[in-house]
Amino acid sequence: MERKLTKAERKDRHNRELCILAKQNDLRAQTELLLENEGLIMQLAKSLEIMHDLDVNHYAGIELDDIMQEGRFALLEAAKSYDVTSATKFSTFASVVMRNAMSDLCRKGDSSFERQLADHGIVQVFLNDNPVDEDGIPEIEKVDTNRIQDPVGDEAVLRVMIQKMRNRLVMLPAREQRLLMYRYGLASLEFKTIAETAAFFHLTEKHMRLIEERSLAKLRAGMNDGKIL
């Protein structure tokens, strides 16, 4: 008498059958394979999102949906290279392939924030700012304009300012963070007009201006709080 297969075994058998068809570029089988394993893709994506801190506060331009999409592509690639006669379950094999691809995507975003701000973001956000120290004295009045340029020192100061701005930016409501990131290209390096930003977030231009002014006021106040970081 043939042993009754467990639920996990039935699912693996079905995955193997779909892999055979997927290797033949059967679109229906590929779609079904994705649907069958969407839970696994979600589980891996969420674990990587937490591990790499890729939420709205990270500014890497990578979100959970991006990680999942990368996982879906990787799953289909895994199906085409999977040996259906292997003793290893397809889900186990695919998990390794997906995690590697998804991790590579996450790592691309890990180091992007500081470079993007240094090259494009910080000047745009604080272009009209006039920072003051804790005594209310404008910093510009204390700068010796005849001093010898120190590129290393300037870069160090810039990195501190970037980190400070990052620390203050995460204190804004999530919606305001997204608006500023989109408007000033902190994630995509594409600066948008008020009209473009308003249209993207389904706002009137007047409402968009009010939100932006309020958000930048909070951000500038945080940058001028007299603290190093």
Side-chain angles (χ1 to χ4, degrees):
M1 181 177 178
E2 185 177 355
R3 181 179 65 86
K4 186 176 181 180
L5 298 177
T6 65
K7 182 178 179 180
E9 289 173 331
R10 289 198 302 273
K11 181 173 182 178
D12 184 55
R13 172 180 286 185
H14 186 47
N15 275 335
R16 292 171 188 260
E17 292 169 350
L18 291 173
C19 284
I20 294 174
L21 296 174
K23 291 175 186 288
Q24 302 168 12
N25 295 320
D26 186 315
L27 295 179
R28 185 173 180 178
Q30 291 175 356
T31 301
E32 188 173 350
L33 193 63
L34 289 173
L35 293 174
E36 285 283 331
N37 293 277
E38 185 73 0
L40 176 61
I41 297 171
M42 172 67 81
Q43 181 182 355
L44 287 172
K46 281 187 172 294
S47 67
L48 287 169
E49 180 190 37
I50 294 171
M51 182 184 302
H52 291 266
D53 192 26
L54 292 177
D55 56 15
V56 72
N57 297 334
H58 195 68
Y59 321 111
I62 298 173
E63 299 180 354
L64 182 63
D65 287 345
D66 300 312
I67 307 174
M68 290 191 63
Q69 188 65 11
E70 190 71 17
R72 295 184 186 104
F73 290 137
L75 178 77
L76 294 179
E77 289 301 315
K80 293 179 180 180
S81 60
Y82 177 62
D83 181 359
V84 295
T85 64
S86 170
T88 303
K89 290 183 178 180
F90 171 72
S91 59
T92 302
F93 175 80
S95 291
V96 175
V97 176
M98 287 191 293
R99 178 173 285 275
N100 288 339
M102 296 155 92
S103 294
D104 286 344
L105 176 66
C106 292
R107 281 192 288 267
K108 290 178 182 178
D110 281 347
S111 61
S112 66
F113 174 75
E114 289 188 4
R115 183 180 66 253
Q116 290 174 7
L117 287 188
D119 292 344
H120 299 273
I122 192 168
V123 174
Q124 292 294 323
V125 174
F126 299 106
L127 187 61
N128 299 318
D129 198 13
N130 184 20
V132 297
D133 65 13
E134 56 187 350
D135 297 320
I137 300 174
E139 295 288 347
I140 192 171
E141 294 182 8
K142 301 190 298 181
V143 176
D144 180 3
T145 56
N146 294 319
R147 70 180 177 87
I148 299 175
Q149 292 295 313
D150 177 10
V152 176
D154 289 345
E155 182 178 353
V157 171
L158 178 59
R159 289 179 68 86
V160 170
M161 289 295 290
I162 288 172
Q163 184 59 50
K164 181 173 181 177
M165 189 180 79
R166 181 177 183 179
N167 294 344
R168 298 303 178 275
L169 197 56
V170 301
M171 298 172 68
L172 294 177
R175 186 191 189 198
E176 293 182 17
Q177 293 178 40
R178 288 193 290 270
L179 285 171
L180 291 184
M181 289 172 63
Y182 183 83
R183 169 89 162 91
Y184 293 102
L186 300 186
S188 65
L189 299 185
E190 287 186 32
F191 306 128
K192 304 294 184 180
T193 65
I194 286 286
E196 290 172 329
T197 307
F200 184 82
F201 288 97
H202 305 289
L203 301 169
T204 64
E205 291 185 33
K206 181 179 179 180
H207 192 192
M208 175 61 211
R209 288 183 187 279
L210 290 174
I211 296 175
E212 180 184 44
E213 290 172 3
R214 181 182 61 201
S215 302
L216 289 180
K218 292 179 185 177
L219 204 51
R220 289 182 178 122
M223 290 297 292
N224 299 332
D225 60 7
K227 299 179 181 178
I228 296 178
L229 289 175

